[in-house]
Amino acid sequence: MDTQSLLDQAIKARKNAYTPYSKFQVGAAVLTRNKEVFTGSNIENASYGLTNCAERTAIFKAVSEGEREIDTIVVVGDTEGPISPCGACRQVIAEFCDINTKIILANLKGDKVETTIDKLLPGFFYAKDLKQ
Ligand code: THU
């Protein structure tokens, strides 16, 4: 699965965004290590804080179908530069990826940046911290 195909799927998923409040649509696509693809869009709520970002939607779809490890995640929005995930999403991405996971941030103009979780969220809270 190449990056362009994942980006195309994220752009398509973006069209399903439910954004009556911000009108800001975001799409995401997750490729798992089992080579399955899950897409997501942001889903807003009249109680604004209950909004679910696109990348969390895609990750939760993957995890709820039994997937646990992300190979690549692509996020796309109509931003000036590549979109930047919120802090909550960074922590959720951290749960299911490692330093080899490709995190690709993009916009509709074709700007793209590839990064890793240690750059996006240095010092993130890690599952192993819970183990005694
Ligand atoms: N949003 C995402 O879905 N992903 C991001 O990476 C940034 C922000 C959504 C949340 C909300 O629906 C809208 O964009 C404006 O914040």
Side-chain angles (χ1 to χ4, degrees):
M1 179 70 54
D2 59 77
T3 300
Q4 188 57 49
S5 165
L6 282 176
L7 178 58
D8 290 344
Q9 291 181 75
I11 290 169
K12 192 170 168 208
R14 181 178 167 272
K15 293 191 171 27
N16 291 326
Y18 175 74
T19 57
Y21 309 106
S22 75
K23 320 272 191 222
F24 183 74
Q25 300 171 298
V26 184
V30 163
L31 172 67
T32 68
R33 294 229 160 102
N34 291 325
K35 308 282 175 230
E36 299 280 341
V37 176
F38 297 85
T39 61
S41 61
N42 49 334
I43 304 168
E44 299 185 342
N45 194 279
S47 177
Y48 299 167
L50 298 181
T51 291
N52 207 65
C53 293
E55 48 274 61
R56 269 182 289 148
T57 302
I59 291 170
F60 291 161
K61 282 171 69 178
V63 173
S64 66
E65 294 299 318
E67 298 293 324
R68 293 292 183 267
E69 292 178 16
I70 300 174
D71 177 88
T72 306
I73 180 164
V74 178
V75 190
V76 64
D78 190 12
T79 37
E80 184 58 34
I83 193 163
S84 184
C86 77
C89 286
R90 290 172 193 225
Q91 181 65 38
V92 171
I93 293 168
E95 185 77 17
F96 302 106
C97 76
D98 59 32
I99 53 159
N100 297 312
T101 299
K102 292 178 276 299
I103 302 172
I104 296 159
L105 309 174
N107 65 13
L108 295 180
K109 297 186 290 184
D111 296 320
K112 255 181 278 179
V113 67
E114 184 174 327
T115 187
T116 50
I117 193 60
D118 56 312
K119 294 197 186 98
L120 280 184
L121 191 62
F124 62 81
F125 185 66
Y126 193 52
K128 78 171 171 12
D129 295 334
L130 293 170
K131 306 221 169 77
Q132 311 277 331

